[in-house]
Amino acid sequence: MGGTDAKDILGLPKTPLSLTQEKKSRPQKESHRKPDGISREVYALTGGVAPLMPSIDVTHLKRPPPHDEKVAWQWLPVKSSARKDDLQLYHWVRVVNDVPPTGDYSFAKYNKSVDVLKYTDDEYENHLTDPVWTKEETDQLFELCERFDLRFTVIADRFPLSRTVEELKDRYYSVTRALLRARAQSPAELANHPLIKEPYDMTRDRERKRALSMVLSQSRHQEKKDAEILAEAKRITEMRLAARNSILIILSIKRLVFLDVQRAAEPDVPANENIGSVSPSSNSQLPATAVAPSTLTMADYASTLASLRMLHVYLRTYGLEQMVQAASSAVGLRTIKRVEQTLQDLGVNLKPKVPTKTVCDEHLELRKEILTLLNLQKQLQYKESEGSSHREGTYAAMPDTPKDRVFASEPFSFGAERPIKKEPKRKGPGRRSDTPSPAHKRPRKLKASDL
Amino acid sequence: MYGGDEVSAIVVDLGSHTCKAGYAGEDAPKAVFPSVVGAVDGVEAMDVDADSAKNNSNSEDSKTNESDKEKGKRKLYVGSQALNYRRDHMEILSPIKDGIVSDWDLVDNIWEHAFRGCLMIDPKEHPMLLAEPPLNTQQQREKAAELMFEKYKVPALFMAKNPVLTSFATGRATSLVVDCGGGSTTISPVHEGYVLQKAVVSAPIGGEFLTDCLLKSLESKGIKIRPRYSFKRKEVRPGEFQVEDVGVPDTTESYKLFCQRMIVGDIKDSICRVPDTPYDDKSYANIPTTSYELPDGQTLEIGADRFKIPDVMFNPSIVQTIHGMEKYGDMIPTVRGLPHMVMESINKCDVDIRRELYSSILLAGGTSSMQQLKERLEKDLIEESPHSARVKVLASGNTTERRFSVWIGGSILASLGSFQQMWFSKSEYEEHGASYIQRKCP
């Protein structure tokens, strides 16, 4: 209907099909006629069809009230069965034909309460005595239970003596159970009563509440600490796990090495001295470096080994890169740059031109030694400054102890497991005799040429 | 209304700052006026004998008098209209001390003014719903019941506790109500419509305390707050005013304080904000100031005080840094900040309901409409509370609703159909006595 109206308004020509449609729609229109009482436009707003669910019966809207009924509103007293006294409150009541509505006050049905068992004194004497609870207390408890409809939290709040909610519940349920048992004719009818089927267990309730209170009473601060501790513990376990793994891998390497060594009949390779020192002429595919990691941790070493082994076939430069990366993963960017700087100073290419096995191994070892060197230098400077400040502080200073101790305490970073077998070209930093004497005020810089 | 059935009850909420009264079923009280009474003692020049004789004859027809009452030598003035007019020798007296009623005579006057002066009803025809503080004593309730039944002859009475009414006003039966009122701040947990009395925590820091802090702070900076009656503004030239002091030697100190408090209270309402972090002098030393114009034309520039004063609620020890407030110094160490009081109250409750209480914390009271109070409280509580509890602070957006939430709850309660069976009726009072109220109104 709206469509044709729009076309009319716009002045569009009607298509020939629409004529037939119009003819068809007209009889349809008849049955779709708008109901009386609302205007056409309003009806069209709803989509032009009757609503799916009848909302308001439109005919009722305009229907005048029937003449035989007389509706008035009167201010009449309330009659309610919920009140036991004769309080007269007034409210507006829809009165039809001067006949006030009969029946109880409509809200009286909401006056429900819990039926709490009442006991007589005899029953109390016979069944319900308890060492902890006196009769007065029990009476009070039951009175409060009735007043507050068994809301034990509120009852515990209003109970004159301070008893916990669990104690009150326990007493109430045990008394009721005892009463039920005493009053029942046969035990069979009781078996389905909820109180008998599932008795209240005070200790379990207490435990539950204790656990809940522990969860809820932790302050944020404590929770943060707990979270930190847990994270720390996790980290430690992971480290241990990794260490254990690496040890396993290294042990397996050792075994292989040992076998290889036996096979190759190489003399004097004490396998247990340096696990990483596999002779270059071994047949194994292991790209083991000649030296033990100086600054590498065992875990890194093992992991790179493992990753390379997975590849089975790889370019040596790639392997070298991996090892270099592994070696330098533990140090900062600046140190890496210094290593590279030192390499350049020495005239060594950052990447070896001819990457044979020996060359790569040597390169790696060189890098590691430079790292160690830099580390040492830093340590030295630090200790010198400490020593000088110490000296200034106390004249009778003993500056040699800290330094020596430093050098003595950092054996692992020096590659103490340095193999006896070394290329004669380089000397390891393991020599301690060259530490500058404490009398030197200026920290003597260890130069590469010293090595 | 679905559950509603009007019996035209009257709801009266006598707070420490304002008294609110009105019909049940409406959404705001009709009568709101300060709950203090101005008392003028009889002038000393009068002869004592003649005075007492005159007063005896006067006391019979004193009941017909609207707002003046002669009792002994005292004339009492109630209501904001009467109080705003300055009278010589008028002392301002408050019936409520520390949250409970101390002078029933004044309360009587206040009620009288509310019924006959403002609402213009006859209390004989309407059941009364009174709102009372959660820690009200048995004695107080009996006295109130007695006064209502004997003097005003109400047909039925009910006394409901403030936090319960606030809780009903938001449609909840279990919640933790933080009522920041004029005289004190009270935190009370409500469980299924009953207040858990052992867990109610209260502190004497309320809106009036904050007003006093601000007043003292301004005075210590040298700003004199002139009460409205003490000056006159004369137009010297068009647009320009000159302020003249009016000499009023007979005005009492308490009245002056009352007027000053009204002005400073307005400053506090319009300017003060709760800071997002605890206040310290260094970080707020360079805060830009806001200007406020006093009635006598002076313009105040308020900077750090804007944030310092509301932070007293969260950190009461700040009070000691304000000059003039040292007398509260000994009281302060026992009072803890608002978030701590909330945690204390919750921890005193049974474990099972704590989670529910955390997630429905309601703010009520005039002071709670201070800006940013809800956000700051929520933030502090989330920090302090355990992770597993979801903290939610609810407050209606409308400031009128927050101020009158107790009254609104009473209005809702008294117009419910299923409440009609709970009234404490006159016949019950006559049968069982006033102590029966303890049973009927839990």
Side-chain angles (χ1 to χ4, degrees), chain A residues 293-296 323-340 342-343 363-379 413-414 429 451:
Chain A
S294 56
T295 46
L296 257 192
M323 299 307 277
V324 165
Q325 249 181 22
S328 51
S329 65
V331 297
L333 195 57
R334 205 188 301 165
T335 333
I336 297 173
K337 289 235 177 337
R338 282 176 73 189
V339 168
E340 291 180 3
T342 327
L343 278 175
H363 187 94
L364 203 55
E365 200 184 312
L366 176 63
R367 271 187 184 257
K368 288 195 189 124
E369 291 196 359
I370 293 174
L371 265 178
T372 321
L373 167 68
L374 294 175
N375 199 11
L376 271 180
Q377 280 180 341
K378 204 169 30 160
Q379 292 279 347
S413 65
F414 286 27
L451 294 172

Side-chain angles (χ1 to χ4, degrees), chain A residues 17 24 70 76 94 127 129 160 223 276 328-329 391 412 428:
Chain A
L17 210 56
K24 269 197 219 131
K70 189 173 71 144
L76 292 178
R94 185 167 183 267
H127 309 281
T129 51
E223 274 173 15
S328 51
S329 65
R391 220 172 291 133
F412 54 86

